[in-house]
Amino acid sequence: MTQNIPDTDIEFRQWGSNFVLQCQAHAAELGLSPADLAALGEVSSGCVQASTNLERARAAYHGAVATKRIAFEGAEATYRRFAKQFMANPALPVSVLSALGFGVTPPQTSSVTTPRDLAATGFSNGQNRLVWNRSGNSKATVFLIEALFGGSSEWIQVGATTKSKFDHAGHIPGVQVIYRVRAQRANAISSPSNTAILYAKETAHPEVLQKAA
């Protein structure tokens, strides 16, 4: 007769529990003393407790991994949001961007060209759609969208993108707004594009608003 003691944890624990149970049921026949039965019960209970502790540790580990992943994903999204904001700020010097950990290149006077053919379309939901010609600027070029509202003479940056289009939301239809676009790469910034005007004050008739696509 061979001793077929299982190798896997679950089967070993089940086999051991049955072994101890049968020893207790046939103690007299097997010649087992109370001390023997106590020793058998102790090792069986130890196996069960060790297995329970392991399962709890595994569950805690998987929970910790999930928590770490959520924390890292949230941190990365926040870092990227601020990084995009900083990179779009033409007033920040290269030294500051480098200290923040961004790979930046020295200023180049000929790295960008002026965007052209800027056009704007206003929609009834307050969204203004801008499109322009990249003028040969690379895909990594950031375009700074600036606007003049009402009768103001101060240009305000309302957005930044690497694409050749931009949707400016939250505008009040009928209120004059003038847009222009600059190209930026590293510390080089182009001269402004042509301007695009929506709801010009001198317009005799209200502009027809479109519905956003």
Side-chain angles (χ1 to χ4, degrees):
M1 181 181 293
T2 58
Q3 296 177 341
N4 296 322
I5 300 178
D7 293 328
T8 64
D9 290 354
I10 294 178
E11 290 179 344
F12 177 79
R13 188 172 68 246
Q14 293 174 343
W15 183 93
S17 296
N18 179 71
F19 181 79
V20 173
L21 183 63
Q22 296 305 318
C23 284
Q24 292 171 341
H26 304 282
E29 298 172 62
L30 298 171
L32 298 174
S33 67
D36 294 331
L37 295 176
L40 287 167
E42 183 177 354
V43 295
S44 177
S45 298
C47 288
V48 172
Q49 186 61 51
S51 296
T52 300
N53 292 341
L54 177 60
E55 292 303 319
R56 289 175 178 173
R58 285 174 175 168
Y61 169 77
H62 290 305
V65 170
T67 300
K68 188 271 294 184
R69 184 181 68 252
I70 293 172
F72 273 49
E73 289 175 350
E76 180 180 354
T78 300
Y79 294 155
R80 288 186 180 279
R81 175 167 60 86
F82 280 102
K84 184 177 181 180
Q85 175 183 322
F86 298 152
M87 292 295 287
N89 185 352
L92 286 178
V94 171
S95 59
V96 174
L97 294 176
S98 296
L100 288 168
F102 300 128
V104 293
T105 56
Q108 300 179 12
T109 57
S110 60
S111 62
V112 291
T113 57
T114 302
R116 56 188 174 85
D117 302 331
L118 174 64
T121 303
F123 296 94
S124 59
N125 63 355
Q127 175 178 291
N128 297 332
R129 183 161 299 165
L130 310 178
V131 294
W132 58 88
N133 189 308
R134 302 183 68 91
S135 296
N137 286 298
S138 67
K139 293 182 178 180
T141 302
V142 175
F143 294 99
L144 310 177
I145 297 87
E146 301 174 334
L148 281 178
F149 297 99
S152 174
S153 60
E154 179 181 358
W155 288 96
I156 299 175
Q157 184 176 323
V158 295
T161 181
T162 56
K163 300 179 180 180
S164 58
K165 60 182 179 180
F166 181 77
D167 286 338
H168 179 214
H171 184 69
I172 301 176
V175 175
Q176 177 177 292
V177 58
I178 305 174
Y179 293 102
R180 71 183 187 186
V181 177
R182 294 175 183 265
Q184 177 186 25
R185 185 169 177 78
N187 271 13
I189 303 178
S190 74
S191 55
S193 68
N194 62 292
T195 57
I197 304 176
L198 286 177
Y199 317 117
K201 291 183 178 180
E202 63 271 20
T203 301
H205 302 286
E207 299 187 30
V208 178
L209 300 178
Q210 302 184 42
K211 291 186 177 179

